[in-house]
Amino acid sequence: MKEIKKVTYALEISDELKKYQNEIEYVFDFVDEYYNTYRSPSSTNIIYYGKQNTPSKDKTRISASDFWDLLSVEKDGIHLYPLNYDKLDNIIVFNEQESISADYISTIFFLLSRIEERDVHYSDKYNRFRSKDSFLVKHGKEKIAIADMCSLEIAKLIRHEDKPKHTSSFEFIPTHDVDRLRAYHYFLEPIRYFLGDILKRRIPVIKALDRISSTYFSGEPFRQFRFLMDISEKYNIQSRFFFMGASKHYIDSTYTLKYRRLLRKVVSEIVDRGHIVGFHPGYLTYNNYKQWEAQKKSIEQEIGITLRVGRQHVLRYDTSITPSIWDKYHMECDYTLTFPDMIGLRSGTTREHNSYDLQSRKKLNLRQVNTVVMDVGIFGGKYNDYDLEYAVSETSTVIDEGKKYGGKCCILMHPGNMTEKKMKYYELILGG
């Protein structure tokens, strides 16, 4: 890639927006990272951001919207309360055809910070932010990289170029949450289901025996782990496998407690083949520092590896707490943010970016990558059961956004839960 010349600029924020300087600079940091721009107080290339008229014609003005008036700054940080959501329609920018006075800055902060999730009333049975409550989903824009588009428009103003080049390159990231090692959580579980098939569900014995053969004699965990690695290696891509720590919660898996030798064997093969091992914190950890730390220590001690990347189990996430937990324990990248039941970009970006702490109002070292799709969300009927062609087409739409902006396309495929349809989907997506 041809080297892109660095362009410096001085950022001037109007007096009425000074109290949001941290949030505004967080947005400009995102732009700077991908367009080789750099803030320098001594630069004569001045970018003025505010509602007031530009004090000098020598400054490039970006007009601030009413977005900042909708925020509340309190002792526990910054909030955007749901009662103000209906006022966002004329504020959030959706396309590059907006006038030059459009407020791309507040749009990026709104999307990347996940402030819209902070004070919502959760009704998901797992206490998660519902996809249908997302501003992007409500407007049918969940597959569009709105934040990346806005950053391009800001780069145009800073660099004084019609078509500034970004500095990043597209990357495909397959991730695999290891919710179970074997084809069952507990040794007697398949027998219990087998008896239920016969006695409760009145399924013929011969057919019910399929459950026994597909669990005890399935060849797991190695069959599907190796399949995922084989396909990734075929296309020269690294897979990331996220493992749970010790937990006895019924929604978590107990393999770190019960299948320790098998766990070490699986991890060893993953590492030997050049793939990445990460952390999959359990169901109760997303807002609990102590449980999160304890589970991380337990898995690291068991496998002898320091884990730096991962995803929360069941995608449980609290935007005001979870990023801070990950950052405190020196995690490098979190792949949790995704729509559980649909394909799209929850934060409106394909790019890796820093998390934002809404309580302390500062940029964190922790990086975030949106996960485009989860296999369970589109296949199997728990949420949807798309046909293969449709699933590939819809996923490809978001992948194209990543290629356009030099972003990352992260997908989640669960080993131990791979049907033939999912296997075909995985190969088609990586090969596309």
Side-chain angles (χ1 to χ4, degrees), residues 151-214:
S151 70
L152 172 62
E153 296 304 312
I154 296 173
K156 290 179 181 178
L157 298 175
I158 296 174
R159 298 186 65 90
H160 303 284
E161 297 173 6
D162 292 333
K163 296 181 179 180
K165 302 292 185 181
H166 56 71
T167 59
S168 58
S169 57
F170 176 74
E171 181 183 3
F172 202 102
I173 303 176
T175 59
H176 315 293
D177 294 354
V178 184
D179 291 344
R180 61 181 65 183
L181 266 185
R182 298 187 181 275
Y184 49 82
H185 283 293
Y186 307 99
F187 183 75
L188 295 179
E189 181 183 62
I191 295 176
R192 182 167 61 86
Y193 285 129
F194 166 73
L195 294 174
D197 286 342
I198 296 172
L199 301 176
K200 292 183 180 181
R201 291 175 283 276
R202 303 298 182 183
I203 295 175
V205 175
I206 294 178
K207 187 173 182 179
L209 283 169
D210 289 342
R211 185 186 293 275
I212 301 296
S213 62
S214 65

Side-chain angles (χ1 to χ4, degrees), residues 111 176 274 324 361:
L111 293 171
H176 315 293
S324 301
R361 298 181 62 195

